[in-house]
Amino acid sequence: MGVLRKFLAWLSVPVICLIALVLYLARPFNPDNNRLLGAAVARVGRALLGMERPLEGRENMPQDRPTVVIANHQHNDDLFVMGDLLPPRTVTVGKSALVWVPFFGQVFWLGGNVILNRKRSKKAVALMQATSQAIARDRKSLWVFPEGTRSRGRGLQTFKKGAFHAAVAAGAPITMVCAQEYRDQAVGWSGRRESVVIRILPPVETEGLSTEDIPQLMARCHEQMAQAIASL
């Protein structure tokens, strides 16, 4: 049952994206498309997986101003765990290979999301800095997995700098989304997943900070997230 649930959950993603493609073509590069799609994919996916997702600190997610959201990245199923938490007008960050995924890649591009080439790290940082202009000018929020790769439930990994450059350059607060460590496995005969608790921490302000403050800012956020994850 667990294999069937996972198959159906992931089968639902291209189906929902194909339906959503109509909305994306009707209003291309509107960042609110991403929020609506993320909510649909996450809620359908969790229902098919039989997964509960208790949420703490919802009030800490800014709704009336741009923010840079950072979250811990464990498995591909994070899409179902966190997809419905995007604040208004949010773009996300993904690898260039995502563009070639049928239907998902097309809506990802039409959503105005940030596409990074991980092999060209200097240009990636420059792109994140350019994204900060969109945050300030277009009042978009940015969602980033700062670890850059999946931890597979083995603790919080080292952060990359891009998201912090973007936040400091835009003067936008950093909002931390912390997911309980979980396994990409079914439990019991029904194949349901264990519940995954999410905690959203109060935003960390970056107004007045410079690039020299980024290492300290990264260390502070990493420590707060690590402590929160350990307590879940």
Side-chain angles (χ1 to χ4, degrees), residues 82-99:
M82 306 180 188
D84 56 340
L85 298 179
L86 274 64
R89 297 183 57 78
T90 297
V91 294
T92 62
V93 176
K95 297 180 289 188
S96 56
L98 287 175
V99 176

Side-chain angles (χ1 to χ4, degrees), residues 13-232:
V13 176
V15 173
I16 294 172
C17 288
L18 178 59
I19 297 170
L21 193 56
V22 176
L23 174 64
Y24 277 76
L25 289 171
R27 51 178 202 176
F29 306 110
N30 184 321
D32 259 340
N33 294 342
N34 299 323
R35 180 170 58 88
L36 297 174
L37 176 63
V41 168
R43 291 169 186 174
V44 170
R46 287 202 303 272
L48 291 170
L49 289 172
M51 176 189 289
E52 298 292 332
R53 202 282 317 276
L55 177 61
E56 303 174 2
R58 180 185 289 274
E59 69 280 1
N60 291 325
M61 180 66 76
Q63 301 293 316
D64 57 353
R65 59 172 176 160
T67 184
V68 173
V69 181
I70 59 174
N72 57 315
H73 190 18
Q74 300 182 69
H75 305 283
N76 289 335
D77 287 354
D78 289 345
L79 179 63
F80 306 129
V81 175
M82 306 180 188
D84 56 340
L85 298 179
L86 274 64
R89 297 183 57 78
T90 297
V91 294
T92 62
V93 176
K95 297 180 289 188
S96 56
L98 287 175
V99 176
W100 303 105
V101 177
F103 306 127
F104 180 85
Q106 288 72 62
V107 296
F108 190 84
W109 176 69
L110 283 169
N113 294 290
V114 181
I115 300 171
L116 294 182
N117 187 334
R118 300 293 188 189
K119 295 180 180 179
R120 305 170 71 178
S121 58
K122 290 185 178 179
K123 289 195 174 183
V125 171
L127 181 58
M128 293 296 281
Q129 289 175 322
T131 301
S132 69
Q133 299 176 6
I135 297 172
R137 182 185 64 243
D138 301 330
R139 296 189 61 77
K140 294 178 180 177
S141 289
L142 180 67
W143 182 293
V144 183
F145 290 116
E147 296 163 282
T149 187
R150 292 164 292 174
S151 69
R152 303 190 185 279
R154 295 193 294 265
L156 194 62
Q157 302 178 99
T158 303
F159 286 169
K160 297 183 183 299
K161 296 180 179 180
F164 300 90
H165 277 282
V168 168
I174 295 175
T175 304
M176 293 167 281
V177 176
C178 306
Q180 175 186 6
E181 292 182 3
Y182 71 98
R183 297 173 296 172
D184 183 17
Q185 296 177 0
V187 177
W189 65 269
S190 66
R192 297 174 65 90
R193 296 294 187 88
E194 292 179 329
S195 66
V196 180
V197 182
I198 297 285
R199 181 178 298 161
I200 302 175
L201 303 182
V204 174
E205 300 295 336
T206 66
E207 190 72 39
L209 299 184
S210 69
T211 55
E212 295 179 354
D213 299 308
I214 287 177
Q216 183 177 359
L217 177 65
M218 291 173 64
R220 175 185 175 188
C221 291
H222 192 280
E223 181 181 5
Q224 289 187 19
M225 287 188 69
Q227 290 177 351
I229 293 166
S231 69
L232 292 174

Side-chain angles (χ1 to χ4, degrees), residues 4-18:
L4 178 60
R5 282 182 179 275
K6 183 164 185 173
F7 173 77
L8 292 175
W10 281 103
L11 180 62
S12 73
V13 176
V15 173
I16 294 172
C17 288
L18 178 59

